[in-house]
Amino acid sequence: MRFLGLDSSTQSLTALIVDTDTGEVIDRSIAFGPRLPQYESPNGFLANADPRIKHSDPLMWVEALDLVLGELRAAGVDLGAIRGVSGAGQQHGSVYLGRSLDEAGKWDAGKPLVDQVRPLLSRKTAPIWMDASTSAECAEIAAAVGGDDRMVEITGSVAIPRFTGPQIRKYWKDDPAGYERTAEIHLVSSFIASLLTGTSVPIDLGDGAGMNLLDLARAAWSPALLDATAPNLGRKLKAPIPAATRAGTVADYFVKRYGFAPGTPVIAFTGDNPSSLIGMGAGDPGTAVVSLGTSDTMFAAMAAPRTDPRGYGNVFGNPAGGFMALCCFSNGSLAREEIARRFKLGWDDFARAILEKTQPGNGGDMLLPYFVPEITPRLNAPAERWFGSPDFVAAKKGDAAARAVVEAQALSMRLHSAFIGQPPARILVTGGASKNPGILRVLADVFQAEIVPLRVSNSSALGGALRAAQAVGGRPWAELYARFAAPDLDRRVKPDPGSKVTYEGLSTQLEKRIEDVVAQTAQTR
Ligand code: XUL
């Protein structure tokens, strides 16, 4: 049987099909920047003079959905053989509609979807997870419910600028009439699911936990937080549902245009990180995952919510049941790409710089790679800092810069993920940068753990396909994981015990420097 997973991420939309009988996997991606240049979003978001503001045009995601399905069909893929669909979206981003899709979603198969969705948007743009402009709203929401500790007790996270609740509050404050006109608010995940069914699909508990609105213990929106966020918010959000819920069937539009079988079930969509947890075969507690994408994230399943005393880490729902802990770093690929660009390094040069030309500890050269505002630690403005030899500080040492950016990222990840629990002996790694052996080497040495890449690179779209296979096809997780989420043992990297002491020392130094930069920029939220 065949199942389709979709992943609407920051920079691309991916469709991935698994065949549970043959083990075959087919995938195709639409990269927004090059494929949809009319949206003027080379990295998936619109330019803004204020570096804290990051919005995208939701119509770009709608167009990408038609494009990817059209391409699969044109490539001869029989979408009529798909027995279930699920998927994921970049977390926290929100879409605002003037009419509920329960009334307005009866798509006409004769017109492109984008032309039918355009008039329904009450807000032209969608704030995304990279937005850092809602510090004031975070403070207001936290104060209204009794402070940070209370926020963590209810939602698993302090009030966080990229989370949807503070974003909704800012919209209400900036444009009360637009907010008033909004009948329905979606996350990216529930929006894409709703496009597919032509109805309003509720937000799932996994992604819903990233909104600063969900009461984790009750698996329901918190009335106190709805009130603290914006007036009548409860009327604009359907009650959240478990990720395994059958949310509807594919709309006639997709049957007519792409040949889906009528009645193909759509399972609720979730956030890209919860979906990756499944796509990495890490739905059970005990396996840590590092995902090296536009953002770097580190996450793990856990039976009961455990929160971060520093207030940076988050708790989301695990689509396989229970919870997951997550740390998110916005200076992921963007920071590595910035160094590669400045020093004109290709990715092979980047790997060689680490593996052959520099040593653990980098001879004392250290970089705080905060080229865009950072989520962990919280920095509302870019704040790069270079320390060490004069040539390094004068940007004359490209090889050392390559090692420095990755060492700082890995050390910060180790430092800030400590709340998740026991230091892991083995870490699964995914995302574009997991192909780079230099980056894997540094991760292995910093964590003193075996680093194991997976065969698949889009674990979030894969997670969607596997969730459909589990919910519709009744396949057990263990069977699906063994078949589709197998580690690539040939590429695993074992730690060098000789580097342990070096990184212990560096970790303390980095922690101090991070504290200094946070204090200097005096932006604690
Ligand atoms: C997680 C987060 C990011 C986005 C990226 O909290 O903000 O990882 O989900 O897609």
Side-chain angles (χ1 to χ4, degrees):
M1 283 202 276
R2 291 190 157 198
F3 298 92
L4 168 65
L6 294 165
D7 174 35
S8 180
S9 73
T10 316
Q11 309 208 47
S12 57
L13 175 77
T14 299
L16 184 147
I17 296 168
V18 298
D19 187 319
T20 51
D21 301 319
T22 63
E24 193 189 352
V25 175
I26 302 168
D27 68 338
R28 188 166 288 260
S29 285
I30 303 293
F32 303 136
R35 295 296 309 282
L36 293 162
Q38 64 274 34
Y39 290 98
E40 298 180 347
S41 303
N43 294 309
F45 49 84
L46 297 156
N48 197 297
D50 182 340
R52 295 170 307 170
I53 296 182
K54 295 276 187 297
H55 285 213
S56 296
D57 187 335
L59 296 176
M60 178 174 78
W61 306 328
V62 178
E63 250 191 89
L65 179 62
D66 261 333
L67 270 179
V68 81
L69 296 176
E71 286 193 1
L72 282 172
R73 186 167 207 199
V77 176
D78 175 14
L79 295 173
I82 302 290
R83 291 290 158 261
V85 186
S86 190
Q90 53 171 309
Q91 296 198 252
H92 319 297
S94 42
V95 180
Y96 300 74
L97 301 173
R99 287 171 67 202
S100 164
L101 290 181
D102 282 334
E103 336 152 359
K106 302 202 176 22
W107 313 127
D108 173 353
K111 287 192 219 147
L113 201 50
V114 67
D115 293 337
Q116 302 180 63
V117 175
R118 187 177 293 110
L120 299 178
L121 295 177
S122 54
R123 187 183 192 182
K124 294 288 169 229
T125 61
I128 64 163
W129 64 274
M130 297 175 80
D131 191 282
S133 67
T134 64
S135 304
E137 290 72 24
C138 287
E140 289 158 6
I141 293 171
V145 296
D148 281 352
D149 291 349
R150 185 73 189 123
M151 286 296 301
V152 172
E153 243 170 68
I154 306 174
T155 70
S157 302
V158 296
I160 296 194
R162 73 186 189 286
F163 276 33
T164 325
Q167 294 288 344
I168 294 173
R169 182 168 177 79
K170 180 154 191 285
Y171 180 45
W172 167 64
K173 284 168 58 185
D174 289 353
D175 181 4
Y179 175 79
E180 182 69 30
R181 270 198 317 274
T182 300
E184 201 162 86
I185 300 176
H186 281 283
L187 291 181
V188 180
S189 56
S190 66
F191 176 61
I192 305 290
S194 302
L195 295 177
L196 278 175
T197 60
T199 60
S200 166
V201 173
I203 290 168
D204 89 296
L205 293 165
D207 212 9
M211 299 176 78
N212 277 148
L213 289 172
L214 190 74
D215 181 333
L216 288 182
R218 290 176 43 247
W221 302 129
S222 150
L225 277 162
L226 290 172
D227 280 354
T229 300
N232 300 321
L233 181 53
R235 288 195 215 143
K236 302 178 201 282
L237 294 169
K238 283 191 170 177
I241 53 175
T245 309
R246 278 192 196 218
T249 58
V250 287
D252 192 47
Y253 177 92
F254 298 97
V255 173
K256 294 218 169 89
R257 281 175 93 103
Y258 305 113
F260 279 93
T264 307
V266 176
I267 304 304
F269 278 36
T270 189
D272 55 358
N273 293 295
S275 188
S276 272
L277 191 73
I278 302 301
M280 299 291 289
D284 297 322
T287 310
V289 178
V290 165
S291 167
L292 302 167
T294 307
S295 64
D296 287 344
T297 53
M298 181 159 190
F299 50 85
M302 53 187 183
R306 195 170 30 240
T307 51
D308 177 9
R310 290 177 198 250
Y312 296 134
N314 313 123
V315 177
F316 300 140
N318 173 351
F323 300 89
M324 65 183 281
L326 174 133
C327 293
C328 181
F329 305 84
S330 36
N331 284 277
S333 290
L334 292 177
R336 292 183 288 273
E337 282 160 13
E338 181 63 21
I339 292 296
R341 190 190 60 75
R342 284 191 198 176
F343 292 94
K344 300 192 172 51
L345 301 171
W347 292 117
D348 288 342
D349 306 326
F350 200 93
R352 257 196 311 278
I354 294 174
L355 295 172
E356 296 167 17
K357 302 193 175 160
T358 55
Q359 296 295 322
N362 217 15
D365 290 340
M366 186 188 266
L367 166 66
L368 297 189
Y370 302 132
F371 301 111
V372 292
E374 181 51 67
I375 288 169
T376 310
R378 205 157 303 149
L379 295 166
N380 287 353
E384 69 184 272
R385 299 280 190 278
W386 298 69
F387 306 94
S389 61
D391 277 355
F392 179 72
V393 174
K396 290 187 190 152
K397 289 171 77 178
D399 293 332
R403 178 175 275 279
V405 65
V406 182
E407 281 191 340
Q409 289 175 325
L411 282 164
S412 171
M413 200 175 255
R414 190 180 93 158
L415 190 68
H416 291 104
S417 64
F419 81 95
I420 297 177
Q422 280 292 96
R426 187 184 212 214
I427 299 175
L428 298 180
V429 60
T430 181
S434 68
K435 297 195 178 82
N436 193 303
I439 297 174
L440 301 189
R441 161 58 48 214
V442 173
L443 281 171
D445 290 347
V446 165
F447 278 93
Q448 288 293 300
E450 182 179 83
I451 304 295
V452 189
L454 286 207
R455 293 212 165 81
V456 286
S457 56
N458 195 314
S459 52
S460 177
L462 177 63
L466 298 189
R467 291 201 305 107
Q470 194 265 346
V472 180
R475 317 307 307 181
W477 290 122
E479 177 195 310
L480 293 168
Y481 291 164
R483 185 132 210 197
F484 295 102
D488 187 349
L489 293 176
D490 294 344
R491 289 199 302 128
R492 83 183 132 170
V493 178
K494 296 211 159 112
D496 166 11
S499 59
K500 187 167 185 235
V501 178
T502 307
Y503 284 122
E504 295 299 334
L506 273 189
S507 175
T508 317
Q509 240 183 61
L510 182 97
E511 186 169 11
K512 173 82 187 58
R513 287 184 166 152
I514 288 180
E515 275 166 17
D516 289 349
V517 80
V518 169
Q520 279 162 21
T521 49
Q523 285 149 339
T524 48
R525 214 177 253 292

